[in-house]
Amino acid sequence: MTPTDSTAIDHAHPAELPASYWQAARRGASGHCPRCGGGELFRKWLKPVDRCRACGQDWTLARADDIPAYIAIFATGHLLAPLMIMLILDFDMSSWAASAIIIPLATVMVLLGLQPTKGAVIALQWWLGMLGFKRERPDTTPLPDRK
């Protein structure tokens, strides 16, 4: 494999496993490999790469299905509900006018939330060792004293 090949693996830098699920989720939500944080997780908007170019992790096992959409819609609804109430009750806006603001805003929020949510869901699957992923944890055993 050549260094310019997108499937080439960087063996010079071993993978630094995340210390917690939350670190793996942050990596996944930011579009990076949850395992090493070095490679990209997505090759297209919602399509994961086959393998991480940095650590070689196989991401073809990931099956997030509809969970990211459910989470993005749930979060958007809970964030926009107070705004809807405020627009209609406090500003005495008609339902049509409030809808003209809320519907485009909700659409944008859901679309922007899908990829980070999918990255966090894939990180969860990897962290828990689901769907054929190998459950990996950083080595936390203390080093022996050298006296």
Side-chain angles (χ1 to χ4, degrees):
M1 283 186 269
T2 64
T4 58
D5 186 0
S6 63
T7 60
I9 298 170
D10 182 8
H11 292 289
H13 302 93
E16 184 176 326
L17 295 175
S20 69
Y21 162 70
W22 299 109
Q23 185 179 8
R26 278 192 302 274
R27 289 176 178 180
S30 67
H32 293 96
C33 173
R35 183 174 185 266
C36 70
E40 294 83 21
L41 182 58
F42 297 102
R43 70 172 175 238
K44 293 183 181 178
W45 183 49
L46 292 175
K47 181 72 174 167
V49 295
D50 293 335
R51 290 196 169 275
C52 174
R53 67 172 168 77
C55 69
Q57 174 64 48
D58 179 10
W59 293 115
T60 60
L61 303 170
R63 298 285 179 257
D65 298 328
D66 293 336
I67 299 297
Y70 294 143
I71 294 170
I73 291 168
F74 182 80
T76 298
H78 279 76
L79 291 172
L80 288 183
L83 177 62
M84 291 170 44
I85 293 167
M86 183 181 71
L87 289 175
I88 293 173
L89 296 180
D90 294 346
F91 293 115
D92 203 26
M93 197 176 276
S94 73
S95 296
W96 286 104
S99 295
I101 294 170
I102 295 297
I103 292 173
L105 186 58
T107 303
V108 169
M109 287 176 68
V110 168
L111 291 176
L112 291 178
L114 281 175
Q115 189 184 53
T117 305
K118 184 165 184 171
V121 168
I122 291 172
L124 178 66
Q125 292 172 350
W126 171 79
W127 183 259
L128 296 177
M130 297 170 63
L131 304 170
F133 284 117
K134 179 182 173 190
R135 185 174 175 176
E136 300 176 278
R137 298 290 188 269
D139 185 18
T140 57
T141 56
L143 296 175
D145 289 334
R146 296 182 187 181
K147 292 183 182 182

